Amino acid sequence: MGCCRHLWRSRRLWRSRFSLVLLAAAFALSYAFFVAPSGPQAECPVVSPFFPLLTLEAIRKKRSTSVSPGGFYRPPDCRARHRTAIVVPYRKRLTHLGALLDHLHPFLQRQQLHYRIYLVEQWGNGTFNKGRLYNAGVREALRDATWSCIIFHDVDLLPEDDRNTYGCHQDKPSHLSVAIDKFAYRLYYPQAFGGVVAMTPDQFRKTNGYSNQFWGWGQEDDNLWQRVILSGMQAARPPEAIARYKMIKHERDAGNERNPRNVDLLRRTKLDWSSDGFNSSTYKLLSKELEPLYTHLMVDVGKKAPPYLRGNTTTPA
Ligand code: UDH
Ligand code: MN
C-alpha cells in the first residue's frame, strides 16, 4: 500500500507541476502578445514621411533658419577668416542640387565661413558651356561683394571631410577634389583640375579665367590648369586623406556630350589664353533671384557656332 500511496502522491505532485508549467506558459504567451509587443504597432505608411526631404522646399524648411535669402551666411560669434563665393554651374540637376544644398550649408557653417552660394544656370537647350557659366558667375558674384575666395563647384560633388577648408591659399590656386569615390579616391591624373577648385579673384584674373570656347564635355578644366602654369603660378592640393568627395551617380547629360574638338582647342591654350577668357566673357543675365538657400542667376551664354563659323565665338544678342 505504501508503495501505491507514494505513487499516488508523486503523480499528484507531477500533475500540479504540469499545471504550474501550463499556467506559466499561458502567462508568458499572453505577456508576449498583449502586454509587451517588441515590434512597432502600425505598418509603415505607403509614402515615407522622410521622402519630402528630397524636395527643395523641405530642405529649405530644414536649413533656412540660419541662412539669409540668397544662400548667405556669416558666423555670429567671430570674424570669418574667409569670405567665400561658391559658384555652381547648373542645368537640369534638381536632385543633385537638393543634395548639395542640404550637405553644403552645414558643412560651410561648421567651417565658420562667411559665404554665399551662387547657382549659375544655363538658359535654353543649347550645348552646355561650363567655362562661360563660371566666367559669368564670377563677374556677378564680384558685383555683390569683395570675396576673398571663389570656389568653382560641380553640383554633384559632396565633400566628405570638414578639414577640407573652403577658403583660398594666398599664393596658389587649389584643386580641392583630389580623391573622388568614383575614381577609387585617387587623383585621376597629375594635371587634374576639375570638380572643385578654389582661387582668389586675383588669381582668377591672372589666369584670365576659363576659356569661352569649350562647348560640351571635356578639357575646359585641363585648359584652366595650363592657364595657372602659363600665368606663372603653381597649383596646390590638400592631402588626399582630407580632400575626399562623393560624386552622386549620374549619366552624361543631353546637351553636354563629349566634344572631341575640345582636345584640339586644348593644344592652342598657349596662343589663346590671354585673349580668350574672363576678359572676353559675354553673357546676358536674364534673372537674379534670391532663393532661400542660394542666389539663382539665369544666364544666356549664347550658342555654339555652326561648323562653317568654327573658330569664331558667338555671343548672345
Ligand atoms: N552640369 C549640369 N547640367 C548639365 C551638364 C553639366 O548641371 O546638363 C554641371 C554640373 O554642375 C556638373 C558639372 O556641370 O556637376 C560637370 O558635368 P558632369 O557632372 O557631367 O561631368 P563629369 O565629368 O561626368 O562628372 C562625365 C559624364 C559621366 C558619364 C558616366 C556614364 N556612366
Ligand atoms: Mn559629375
Side-chain angles (χ1 to χ4, degrees):
M1 222 32 213
C3 71
C4 301
R5 187 141 85 220
H6 172 74
L7 198 72
W8 180 84
R9 269 174 62 186
S10 76
R11 198 182 273 167
R12 208 170 66 167
L13 197 72
W14 181 82
R15 240 193 241 153
S16 72
R17 269 185 195 155
F18 182 67
S19 51
L20 259 177
V21 169
L22 262 181
L23 204 72
F27 188 80
L29 272 173
S30 55
Y31 183 83
F33 277 104
F34 303 110
V35 185
S38 55
Q41 303 273 317
E43 206 175 359
C44 300
V46 177
V47 177
S48 162
F50 302 116
F51 275 13
L53 286 182
L54 291 174
T55 67
L56 277 190
E57 176 58 21
I59 293 164
R60 185 185 70 75
K61 275 192 195 140
K62 193 168 128 195
R63 297 281 174 228
S64 63
T65 44
S66 51
V67 181
S68 304
F72 177 91
Y73 175 86
R74 61 170 68 185
D77 307 319
C78 56
R79 191 159 39 83
R81 289 174 183 268
H82 303 276
R83 294 186 317 282
T84 301
I86 291 117
V87 182
V88 182
Y90 179 82
R91 188 169 68 186
K92 290 185 191 158
R93 294 274 196 103
L94 194 58
T95 53
H96 294 188
L97 176 63
L100 181 75
L101 294 168
D102 198 21
H103 184 77
L104 218 48
H105 279 292
F107 171 86
L108 298 166
Q109 287 167 24
R110 287 195 297 274
Q111 292 189 349
Q112 297 192 293
L113 300 175
H114 170 160
Y115 71 83
R116 181 161 173 176
I117 298 180
Y118 289 89
L119 190 80
V120 198
E121 179 168 359
Q122 180 167 336
W123 174 84
N125 293 320
T127 307
F128 200 67
N129 191 316
K130 196 169 155 183
R132 288 188 179 211
L133 292 172
Y134 272 145
N135 288 338
V138 172
R139 178 93 56 211
E140 293 304 318
L142 290 177
R143 277 190 219 286
D144 289 336
T146 51
W147 303 108
S148 65
C149 186
I150 298 161
I151 305 266
F152 302 87
H153 208 299
D154 274 13
V155 74
D156 52 24
L157 286 175
L158 307 176
E160 291 182 6
D161 195 310
D162 283 352
R163 294 168 295 177
N164 193 5
T165 308
Y166 274 25
C168 281
H169 191 293
Q170 274 323 294
D171 314 316
K172 298 175 175 183
S174 322
H175 179 230
L176 300 184
S177 55
V178 179
I180 303 177
D181 61 347
K182 180 177 166 174
F183 305 108
Y185 289 111
R186 290 279 161 79
L187 187 66
Y188 26 113
Y189 52 94
Q191 295 82 17
F193 212 58
V196 182
V197 162
M199 293 174 107
T200 65
D202 276 350
Q203 289 163 357
F204 190 71
R205 283 191 205 97
K206 234 171 149 182
T207 63
N208 195 17
Y210 278 85
S211 167
N212 298 293
Q213 316 280 10
F214 289 69
W215 296 94
W217 188 89
Q219 285 77 45
E220 83 292 332
D221 46 353
D222 302 331
N223 177 272
L224 183 64
W225 167 272
Q226 289 200 16
R227 286 165 180 256
V228 169
I229 307 299
L230 287 165
S231 56
M233 295 186 286
Q234 286 177 335
R237 283 200 183 93
E240 212 172 53
I242 288 176
R244 288 166 71 89
Y245 283 79
K246 176 187 163 44
M247 189 192 284
I248 304 169
K249 284 201 176 63
H250 66 85
E251 296 300 319
R252 209 178 287 282
D253 301 274
N256 194 30
E257 287 76 19
R258 191 177 163 273
N259 184 355
R261 207 181 109 81
N262 290 351
V263 179
D264 305 329
L265 272 177
L266 183 61
R267 295 203 192 95
R268 296 179 48 88
T269 310
K270 211 172 174 171
L271 301 169
D272 294 342
W273 75 280
S274 53
S275 57
D276 159 38
F278 191 47
N279 65 3
S280 63
S281 136
T282 51
Y283 61 92
K284 218 155 88 178
L285 181 66
L286 301 180
S287 63
K288 177 179 180 179
E289 306 281 348
L290 301 194
E291 298 293 340
L293 295 180
Y294 58 93
T295 297
H296 187 186
L297 306 170
M298 180 64 89
V299 300
D300 180 357
V301 296
K303 278 205 165 75
K304 182 172 149 186
Y308 57 89
L309 281 178
R310 288 272 164 86
N312 294 344
T313 320
T314 56
T315 54

